[in-house]
Amino acid sequence: MVPSNDPMRALLTAAAALLGVALAGCVPELAGSPAHPNPIIVREFAISPGVVTLDPSFGFSLHRGVSGVPPSQRAAGVARAAAFNLADAIAQQLSLLGYDAIRSNTAVPEPGARALIVSGAFRHLDEGRRRQVGAENPSIAVDTRIDYQIEAAAPQRVTELHLDSRQVPQDAIVAVSGRRGVDVNLAATRVGGAIARYLGETARLNNWPGAPR
C-alpha cells in the first residue's frame, strides 16, 4: 500500500485513472484461453555507458606495469549489471504481489490477452566511492514508461515515472533480495522495488487479475 502522504500519490491516482479509461474502452473478447491472459511484461531498461560515472578508486591492476580494465569496458559491465538488477527486482516484486510478471524484451500479449508493459532508460548511474565506508553514495536515476497493450494493437501510454535512488526509501523492497550493503546494484534493486510497488498499486486499483493458478 502506498502511504497517503507519499509524494507519488497524485501520480499514482492519475495512472490508475488513465489505465481505467484504457480498460473501459479496449477490453478484448477473449478467444480461447491464453496461457498468460493478463501479464505484466518487464523490459530491460536501456542504458548507455556514457551515462555511467565509474568509481575512480577501482579498475587498476595490482601488478606493476599491467594496465587495469579499460574504463569503457568497466562502464559497459556496470551498465549491464545495473540494468539486469533493475528489471529482475521489478519482476520479482510483481510476482511476490501475485501478478503474472514476465521478463522479456520481445514478448507481446498473446491472442485474446492484454498486458501492462514496463520499459524505460537510465538517466544516470554513479558507482559512488566504494572505499569510503559510510559515504559510498552510489545512485541511479531512471525514466520509466508503463504502457497498456492488447494483442498486436499499438501500446497506449498509461504513465511515466522519473525515479532517483537517492529519493527512494529503503523499504521500497519487500523480500526481493537478501543482500545487504551499499553499491549501485542495490540502488538499482531498490528503484526496481519502488517501480513494482507503484505499478502493483495501479493494477490493484483497476482490479488487474493476478497470475493464473
Side-chain angles (χ1 to χ4, degrees):
M1 183 72 66
V2 176
S4 59
N5 62 348
D6 193 307
M8 297 290 286
R9 168 61 65 178
L11 182 58
L12 174 60
T13 303
L18 286 169
L19 179 57
V21 171
L23 293 176
C26 303
V27 177
E29 295 184 5
L30 299 180
S33 300
H36 299 277
N38 302 283
I40 300 180
I41 300 171
V42 181
R43 312 279 195 217
E44 195 162 283
F45 282 37
I47 182 168
S48 164
V51 305
V52 176
T53 300
L54 295 172
D55 181 347
S57 64
F58 281 77
F60 58 86
S61 173
L62 295 177
H63 302 285
R64 182 175 298 177
V66 178
S67 60
V69 178
S72 60
Q73 185 175 334
R74 282 184 58 212
V78 169
R80 285 193 299 270
F84 174 89
N85 279 280
L86 178 70
D88 196 54
I90 297 172
Q92 282 194 49
Q93 183 70 63
L94 287 171
S95 293
L96 287 171
L97 292 172
Y99 294 105
D100 185 13
I102 299 174
R103 271 198 62 184
S104 173
N105 289 334
T106 58
V108 295
E110 301 171 41
R114 59 185 183 174
L116 293 173
I117 301 175
V118 188
S119 62
F122 283 73
R123 287 201 313 275
H124 92 83
L125 184 158
D126 189 336
E127 275 198 295
R129 303 294 183 269
R130 285 171 286 173
R131 292 187 183 278
Q132 297 180 11
V133 179
E136 298 91 342
N137 297 323
S139 65
I140 70 163
V142 298
D143 295 325
T144 306
R145 298 181 295 274
I146 300 173
D147 295 323
Y148 172 75
Q149 185 176 11
I150 299 174
E151 300 182 1
Q156 300 179 52
R157 182 62 40 85
V158 174
T159 192
E160 296 183 359
L161 301 172
H162 308 285
L163 297 180
D164 189 313
S165 62
R166 293 166 292 190
Q167 299 170 349
V168 173
Q170 295 288 338
D171 63 359
I173 308 172
V174 180
V176 167
S177 171
R179 294 174 57 205
R180 295 292 183 268
V182 180
D183 65 36
V184 75
N185 289 321
L186 284 172
T189 299
R190 190 165 72 252
V191 170
I195 292 170
R197 183 168 64 109
Y198 289 116
L199 179 54
E201 185 72 359
T202 299
R204 184 190 68 79
L205 291 171
N206 283 277
N207 298 313
W208 190 268
R213 295 184 181 276

